[in-house]
């Protein structure tokens, strides 16, 4: 009886671990696709992975987009024309789960060049993604990104 | 005869103008009604967020810490603090000095509970003077709260 109980608990625990690993992979893949969307100025990954609802808000350094269409039409896609290039990196991604909700925190590095002025920027900061699981799919419900001019860390003198 | 015709046309035009302006006004009202800028107020996680802000404003460090989970992650001004203790020993004092010196107006605030987690999303307008500089800026705040032993605690803040 004891052996059976241990077996059932073990199978359940393994399946839980596998499920969460699979969810982590899914969320990391979504973040990768969003990165590509920003870099290429394509709204397609956003339309696929963001939950389109009336109260949606996406914050970026003191500004916001209201709703998915506003984000895609007035932020993501115009950047394709406005920027000669955009390179976005998410690193140190940490995903937390609580039932049907997840939040991911990441370090960011954003580099680009403005077409009109020729201004080259290089910023570092942080990103918060909030997700909800709907029909077994993780959907982004809110994002918040903030960044400052990138300053390389000074090396310690010994 | 021509004079009478002109008056008739004038009346028709005034009538049309009245209809158009009334429609525009009521349409604007409907649009305003559809956008609720404050939701989830009065909920338990909302109270935790409100208490945290009040504690910062009144420079009550211990009360502010009561709202934070020890393992809180705080993104602020391009920097990160990865625990309540770290925040308390670094940026908290500066934040308390700042928010107690300026006027923070809440423009929009939404709190939603999803099981044992809650999200709080807010926009603020901050005005005043701080360190001899005029402050007039819009701020964004994202907070994730989690219920620990029945008590809502802040697990993540992004300013």
């Amino acid at each position: 009886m004891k052996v059976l109980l241990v077996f059932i608990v073990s199978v359940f625990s393994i399946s839980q671990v596998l499920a969460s690993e699979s969810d982590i992979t899914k969320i990391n893949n979504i973040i990768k696709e969003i990165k590509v969307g920003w870099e290429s100025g394509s709204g397609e990954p956003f339309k696929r992975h963001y939950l389109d609802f009336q109260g949606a808000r996406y914050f970026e350094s003191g500004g916001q987009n209201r709703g998915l269409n506003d984000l895609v039409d007035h932020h993501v896609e115009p950047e394709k024309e406005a920027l000669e290039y955009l390179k976005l990196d998410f690193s140190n991604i940490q995903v937390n789960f609580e039932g049907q909700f997840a939040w991911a925190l990441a370090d960011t590095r954003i580099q680009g060049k403005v077409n009109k002025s020729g201004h080259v920027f290089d910023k570092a900061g942080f990103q918060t993604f909030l997700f909800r699981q709907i029909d077994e799919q993780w959907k982004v419900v809110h994002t918040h990104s903030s960044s400052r001019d990138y300053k390389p860390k000074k090396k310690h003198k010994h | 005869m021509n004079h009478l015709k002109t008056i008739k046309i004038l009346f028709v035009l005034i009538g049309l103008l009245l209809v158009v302006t009334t429609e525009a006004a009521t349409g604007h009202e409907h649009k305003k009604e559809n956008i609720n800028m404050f939701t989830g107020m009065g909920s338990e996680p909302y109270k935790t967020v409100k208490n945290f802000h009040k504690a910062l404003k009144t420079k009550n460090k211990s009360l502010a810490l009561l709202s934070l989970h020890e393992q809180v992650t705080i993104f602020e001004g391009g920097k990160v603090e990865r625990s309540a203790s770290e925040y308390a020993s670094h940026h908290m004092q500066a934040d308390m000095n700042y928010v107690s010196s300026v006027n923070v107006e809440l423009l929009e605030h939404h709190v939603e509970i999803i099981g044992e987690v809650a999200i709080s999303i807010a926009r603020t307008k901050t005005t005043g003077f701080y360190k001899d500089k005029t402050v007039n800026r819009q701020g964004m705040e994202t907070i994730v709260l989690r219920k620990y032993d029945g008590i809502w605690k802040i697990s993540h803040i992004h300013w």
Side-chain angles (χ1 to χ4, degrees):
Chain A
M1 187 66 186
K2 269 186 183 176
V3 174
L4 184 68
L5 198 67
V6 168
F7 176 74
I8 290 168
V9 169
S10 303
V11 168
F12 180 74
S13 304
I14 290 165
S15 64
Q16 286 293 98
V17 168
L18 287 175
S20 63
E21 275 182 2
S22 156
D23 284 333
I24 289 173
T25 306
K26 281 178 189 169
I27 283 179
N28 277 316
N29 286 340
I30 291 170
I31 292 171
K32 273 181 200 164
E33 288 188 38
I34 290 165
K35 163 199 153 70
V36 174
W38 278 115
E39 288 180 336
S40 60
S42 166
E44 199 274 327
F46 296 86
K47 287 174 182 167
R48 195 164 60 242
H49 297 302
Y50 279 47
L51 186 69
D52 192 7
F53 66 105
Q54 201 188 3
R57 301 282 188 276
Y58 313 104
F59 294 165
E60 185 183 318
S61 297
Q64 74 159 340
N65 288 106
R66 285 170 179 269
L68 182 56
N69 287 340
D70 183 37
L71 176 73
V72 171
D73 298 342
H74 299 117
H75 199 159
V76 177
E77 292 185 342
E79 289 202 347
K80 186 164 56 180
E81 300 299 321
L83 301 175
E84 188 181 307
Y85 69 90
L86 180 72
K87 191 175 179 298
L88 173 62
D89 282 314
F90 293 116
S91 59
N92 191 24
I93 300 169
Q94 294 165 34
V95 189
N96 306 277
F97 294 95
E98 183 64 56
Q100 308 293 96
F101 181 80
W103 66 102
L105 312 179
D107 297 358
T108 55
R109 183 86 182 269
I110 309 140
Q111 294 162 296
K113 187 178 180 182
V114 181
N115 270 331
K116 212 171 182 180
S117 62
H119 174 67
V120 174
F121 57 87
D122 184 357
K123 290 173 178 289
F126 297 97
Q127 173 93 28
T128 300
F129 291 99
L130 306 186
F131 296 85
R132 286 185 82 160
Q133 197 176 34
I134 291 160
D135 297 332
E136 295 186 3
Q137 289 199 318
W138 287 103
K139 294 282 181 184
V140 177
V141 291
H142 174 70
T143 59
H144 190 152
S145 77
S146 57
S147 59
R148 295 279 172 95
D149 288 338
Y150 174 69
K151 285 175 188 164
K153 281 177 187 170
K154 286 175 188 171
K155 282 181 184 172
H156 285 288
K157 287 177 184 175
H158 294 283
Chain B
M1 187 66 186
N2 271 347
H3 189 63
L4 198 68
K5 205 175 177 182
T6 311
I7 289 171
K8 270 185 182 174
I9 292 168
L10 202 65
F11 268 112
V12 169
L13 282 174
I14 289 168
L16 277 173
L17 194 69
L18 277 172
V19 169
V20 167
T21 49
T22 311
E23 272 300 303
T26 52
H28 184 65
E29 281 304 308
H30 288 161
K31 206 176 176 186
K32 253 186 175 178
E33 280 170 17
N34 284 339
I35 302 168
N36 192 347
M37 303 298 257
F38 298 90
T39 58
M41 307 296 98
S43 63
E44 289 301 316
Y46 162 77
K47 285 174 192 166
T48 303
V49 172
K50 195 182 167 191
N51 288 342
F52 176 65
H53 285 299
K54 196 176 173 186
L56 289 181
K57 183 94 181 163
T58 56
K59 295 187 173 185
N60 190 332
K61 201 172 181 174
S62 53
L63 197 64
L65 283 170
L66 271 182
S67 301
L68 299 176
H69 187 258
E70 178 48 32
Q71 299 307 315
V72 65
T73 306
I74 301 174
F75 291 162
E76 184 182 13
K79 294 194 171 146
V80 58
E81 273 157 347
R82 297 195 186 275
S83 71
S85 311
E86 192 186 343
Y87 178 55
S89 60
H90 289 109
H91 267 110
M92 190 187 239
Q93 190 59 50
D95 287 346
M96 288 193 295
N97 292 343
Y98 178 71
V99 294
S100 61
S101 308
V102 293
N103 178 46
V104 182
E105 182 194 350
L106 205 51
L107 301 174
E108 186 170 5
H109 193 184
H110 304 278
V111 179
E112 190 183 357
I113 300 171
I114 307 147
E116 299 290 290
V117 175
I119 54 178
S120 167
I121 292 161
R123 277 192 309 123
T124 54
K125 187 178 183 184
T126 305
T127 51
F129 291 93
Y130 186 66
K131 291 187 174 175
D132 298 328
K133 282 182 184 169
T134 303
V135 179
N136 187 358
R137 61 183 292 270
Q138 189 176 205
M140 308 292 180
E141 179 184 89
T142 300
I143 289 182
V144 177
L145 301 101
R146 215 170 182 173
K147 215 174 188 179
Y148 295 91
D149 298 326
I151 299 166
W152 288 99
K153 296 272 184 182
I154 295 171
S155 285
H156 173 59
I157 303 175
H158 196 149
W159 279 315

